[in-house]
Amino acid sequence: MPLTLDQLLQQKKPLLMGILNLTPDSFSDGGLYLQVEQALSRVQAMCAEGADVIDIGGESTRPGAEPVSLQQELDRVIPVIEAIRAAGIETPVSVDTSKPEVMRAALQAGAVMVNDVRALQAPGALRVVAQSQCWVCLMHMQGTPGDMQRNPVYQDLVGEVQGFLQARVDACVQAGIERSRIVIDPGFGFGKTLQHNLLLLRHLDRFCDAGLPVLAGLSRKSMIGAVLDKPVDERLYGSLACALIAAVNGAAIIRVHDVAETRQVLQMYNAVYSHLAE
Ligand code: 9MG
């Protein structure tokens, strides 16, 4: 019997979250059935490579990305979650969305976590999560994907990001969401300069002081491209380095594209730090 997300998090070993982007550039446009089949094989591959959780999203949150309609997002995400469950894959599924309607449909289809880069600020989002028993990841972002990289400014970077996350945790608890199902995330690349991102990674351990699991999403991001001067398809080594730094600094969940390679990094991490696990 595979472990639930709660049981996995209790093990105190960093979990690997594999990314499944269902945006048009990620899969062929050969019709819905083909797209679902392709997505399902990618999920199967990530599970075989050692993913503990699969994060599925139908709207790009990259800087400058265009929003997608509710119907488009539902059409992209829900058939894939249904297909995962129909195929008997028991790896927990997280849905990467900010839309309450997508959250509700995804949870009904079998997702067990909501990953929201807008930290449940959309009207109705708190209610959907409160009415379920799912996990939720609250992420910090300054601005919106359309304008967040224009000129992000902070007086006290870590303090401001922590303050925002604390306020969103409080809003969740007030809405009836137990602290025990909340994950926080400083939001690397979301309204941050290169220096902001590097500083947040160096101080990631300070976010653990909240006593909640911390998620880190650094995989292939532009901060790696900026340090290494590499295009997005040549950022594997930089991503692995960031994943290891995040693990050493206390990340409970690491969100990645390259599951097999990051699994090896985490195996080494687990061998060295096994005394921290229960
Ligand atoms: C959807 N998405 C893209 N980057 C992300 C990150 O860094 N964290 C979380 N939670 N989600 C992300």
Side-chain angles (χ1 to χ4, degrees):
M1 184 77 169
L3 298 180
T4 63
L5 191 51
D6 308 47
Q7 290 166 330
L8 285 167
L9 279 163
Q10 271 166 24
Q11 289 184 324
K12 302 260 161 45
K13 286 184 196 169
L15 302 185
L16 207 42
M17 174 181 262
I19 300 170
L20 183 71
N21 280 328
L22 297 171
T23 44
D25 48 330
S26 320
F27 285 93
S28 91
D29 55 0
L32 185 62
Y33 180 73
L34 188 57
Q35 285 172 32
V36 172
E37 285 290 290
Q38 288 175 321
L40 196 57
S41 346
R42 182 73 199 116
V43 169
Q44 278 160 334
M46 286 197 284
C47 294
E49 289 169 4
D52 298 299
V53 189
I54 304 292
D55 190 39
I56 302 184
E59 176 173 51
S60 175
T61 49
R62 282 199 202 115
E66 290 293 318
V68 301
S69 74
L70 169 61
Q71 197 55 52
Q72 263 178 319
E73 204 179 325
L74 287 168
D75 290 346
R76 287 177 188 171
V77 169
I78 304 305
V80 175
I81 300 179
E82 287 170 349
I84 291 172
R85 289 295 163 251
I89 298 170
E90 298 193 62
T91 302
V93 168
S94 156
V95 61
D96 153 20
T97 187
S98 296
K99 296 189 180 77
E101 299 87 346
V102 179
M103 294 173 191
R104 192 185 300 281
L107 294 169
Q108 262 162 16
V112 296
M113 179 170 184
V114 168
N115 173 28
D116 185 3
V117 299
R118 294 176 183 81
L120 303 186
Q121 291 181 96
L126 282 167
R127 193 166 354 105
V128 172
V129 173
Q131 285 170 351
S132 83
Q133 289 304 310
C134 71
W135 281 84
V136 60
C137 178
L138 306 172
M139 200 199 76
H140 173 273
M141 165 163 47
Q142 188 181 91
T144 65
D147 65 13
M148 65 190 179
Q149 289 310 103
R150 264 184 219 148
N151 183 28
V153 176
Y154 299 85
Q155 308 306 321
D156 164 17
L157 172 71
V158 174
E160 285 173 43
V161 175
Q162 281 178 319
F164 169 85
L165 292 172
Q166 185 55 55
R168 294 311 300 156
V169 170
D170 292 346
C172 283
V173 171
Q174 236 176 0
I177 302 167
E178 298 82 4
R179 263 183 80 85
S180 57
R181 40 190 188 109
I182 300 176
V183 174
I184 53 172
D185 179 345
F188 291 99
F190 286 83
K192 281 111 188 162
T193 63
L194 171 61
Q195 289 310 317
H196 293 147
N197 287 315
L198 297 176
L199 206 74
L200 282 174
L201 184 53
R202 195 188 315 152
H203 293 294
L204 195 67
D205 55 334
R206 287 177 53 190
F207 290 87
C208 301
D209 295 347
L212 298 171
V214 173
L215 187 150
L218 296 136
S219 183
R220 301 184 188 172
K221 284 200 175 163
S222 63
M223 61 181 279
I224 298 168
V227 172
L228 302 180
D229 191 21
K230 294 286 184 198
V232 70
D233 57 343
E234 292 177 35
R235 295 180 189 164
L236 173 62
Y237 300 133
S239 300
L240 297 178
C242 288
L244 183 58
I245 298 168
V248 169
N249 284 346
I253 305 180
I254 303 181
R255 186 177 181 274
V256 302
H257 300 86
D258 302 292
V259 173
E261 295 86 346
T262 318
R263 174 47 71 199
Q264 289 194 26
V265 168
L266 290 188
Q267 268 177 273
M268 289 309 302
Y269 169 89
N270 290 334
V272 174
Y273 292 104
S274 57
H275 63 289
L276 297 179
E278 280 175 2

